[in-house]
Amino acid sequence: MYDKSGNNVVAYTMKYYEECIENILFLPTEYIVENFSILYDAIEQLTKDCIRVVDLSSSNILITNNGLIVIDFDKYHKDNQTEASTLSYINKSALLYAFRGIFEKALMKRGINLEDNIEAKKIIANLFSFGTTPLVLKCRLRKYDKTIDLF
């Protein structure tokens, strides 16, 4: 909802979301690639529109049967001061960081301590390293039915 001038968001509403999935590791890799692709495309569009993505984290992404849902995007803002390539780097880094967080939390729920399991931490870091695009992710996951199979 905008104020009378139409320039400032003064409130927003949220819809009710279905129950969240407990652990992303057991979902098909196609789910991961498809949802990463959707969010990646959204990040690219936001960047083209000079929107800085702030506060995108694993805590702000719901995992549902119908896909990933980003919530709590009230801190995103117009940024005409930052160079386009820098803004792209910032926004894509936020997305990759959020996906790393989703998988780190999922592994911790399975009892895998990432401080002790450096190999698991490396797998996640490599899976969502800077430069990861939907096509790159699809190639990295092509041998696996579910991401749990990586670990």
Side-chain angles (χ1 to χ4, degrees):
M1 301 167 86
Y2 292 91
D3 63 9
K4 289 183 181 182
S5 70
N7 293 326
N8 298 308
V9 176
V10 293
Y12 61 93
T13 61
M14 288 183 66
K15 72 178 201 177
Y16 171 78
Y17 296 106
E18 65 189 78
E19 186 176 341
C20 291
I21 294 172
E22 187 66 27
N23 200 314
I24 198 167
L25 296 172
F26 297 97
L27 295 174
T29 54
E30 295 86 17
Y31 175 98
I32 309 302
V33 172
E34 179 181 328
N35 283 278
F36 179 80
S37 181
I38 290 167
L39 293 182
Y40 187 91
D41 291 347
I43 291 292
E44 285 197 321
Q45 185 59 53
L46 289 168
T47 301
K48 286 178 188 171
D49 294 339
C50 299
I51 304 293
R52 182 181 289 237
V53 175
V54 181
D55 195 28
L56 177 61
S57 69
S58 58
S59 300
N60 293 338
I61 298 177
L62 304 178
I63 305 165
T64 72
N65 284 323
N66 292 318
L68 300 179
I69 300 170
V70 177
I71 60 170
D72 195 21
F73 42 85
D74 58 314
K75 293 182 182 175
Y76 294 18
H77 62 273
K78 192 84 166 162
D79 183 350
N80 291 318
Q81 304 301 315
T82 305
E83 184 180 317
S85 62
T86 302
L87 187 60
S88 177
Y89 177 82
I90 290 167
N91 288 349
K92 287 178 182 174
S93 293
L95 177 65
L96 294 165
Y97 177 78
F99 266 80
R100 283 194 299 267
I102 289 169
F103 281 87
E104 287 172 358
K105 284 181 182 180
L107 287 171
M108 288 189 288
K109 284 181 184 177
R110 296 285 302 156
I112 297 173
N113 182 339
L114 294 176
E115 297 302 319
D116 296 336
N117 193 330
I118 302 300
E119 189 59 35
K121 196 165 187 154
K122 280 184 189 176
I123 290 169
I124 294 170
N126 289 334
L127 197 58
F128 298 107
S129 59
F130 192 76
T132 298
T133 63
L135 182 60
V136 169
L137 184 61
K138 184 177 183 176
C139 289
R140 289 178 181 160
L141 293 175
R142 72 181 178 275
K143 298 178 195 172
Y144 306 98
D145 292 327
K146 297 182 171 135
T147 50
I148 189 69
D149 300 335
L150 286 159
F151 306 97

